[in-house]
Amino acid sequence: MESTRKPKGFVFYISFVVFHLGVVAGIALAFVSTIAPDFLRIPAVAWTTMALLIGAFSVSVYRIFRRMFRPVMRLISTPDDYFSLFMLTIWFGLGALTQAYLMGIWGMTSETLLIAYLYLTSFFLLYVPFSKISHYLYYPFTRLYIGRALGHRGSYPYSRG
């Protein structure tokens, strides 16, 4: 897409990176919290995960407002865009609270947050193949295909002598 090639500014790029690193942190939190929760209590890991989830939550709130109040974004948005973004915002927030629970912040002792977070993550595993969020599954394959199919566009391929 041409829109992925146009520079949109450093702040837009940083928000993109923080959002997607938050997704990685959220997925890692879901898996690691069930296998090795003590790993998520290591201060460097815990605070990094927390920072990424809070950052992604903030970016997703910004994206909701941008989608709702910019006329161009509102015009091209579908109900799935809104639903996915609202659900991801809730997921990031719940992930940050779950990480706070694992760190022992606020003296939380109930596993209800962790269970709710794992249920919401399970919902996403079922929902993703039918939504626009599925781009994270097929992105590596499409980049490989596009690179091989169109990589030499406008130039000659190297000769294999």
Side-chain angles (χ1 to χ4, degrees):
M1 286 178 48
E2 182 183 348
S3 63
T4 62
R5 304 291 179 249
K6 289 184 179 179
K8 296 189 184 217
F10 186 69
V11 174
F12 187 84
Y13 177 73
I14 291 298
S15 70
F16 168 85
V17 169
V18 168
F19 185 84
H20 287 86
L21 286 176
V23 170
V24 171
I27 293 169
L29 175 65
F31 283 102
V32 175
S33 66
T34 58
I35 298 168
D38 289 336
F39 179 74
L40 294 169
R41 292 184 181 100
I42 298 171
V45 174
W47 288 107
T48 302
T49 304
M50 177 76 85
L52 288 173
L53 289 169
I54 290 173
F57 176 80
S58 302
V59 170
S60 64
V61 168
Y62 163 74
R63 286 182 170 197
I64 288 172
F65 283 109
R66 186 181 69 149
R67 191 167 294 279
M68 289 172 52
F69 295 115
R70 287 196 58 213
V72 172
M73 292 299 292
R74 197 170 50 241
L75 182 66
I76 64 170
S77 297
T78 64
D80 180 49
D81 293 331
Y82 288 106
F83 180 74
S84 298
L85 198 50
F86 278 113
M87 292 303 293
L88 280 171
T89 304
I90 292 167
W91 187 64
F92 289 136
L94 195 55
L97 291 174
T98 300
Q99 181 60 45
Y101 157 72
L102 290 172
M103 293 167 60
I105 296 177
W106 305 309
M108 295 187 283
T109 57
S110 174
E111 290 185 348
T112 306
L113 282 173
L114 177 60
I115 293 168
Y117 183 72
L118 294 175
Y119 273 126
L120 189 55
T121 303
S122 299
F123 167 76
F124 272 119
L125 287 174
L126 297 173
Y127 173 66
V128 161
F130 307 104
S131 73
K132 289 186 177 182
I133 303 173
S134 63
H135 70 274
Y136 86 90
L137 293 173
Y138 62 75
Y139 178 79
F141 302 108
T142 57
R143 293 306 301 169
L144 180 68
Y145 170 74
I146 289 171
R148 289 184 182 216
L150 304 175
H152 299 289
R153 186 175 49 176
S155 64
Y156 291 104
Y158 297 118
S159 63
R160 296 184 181 144

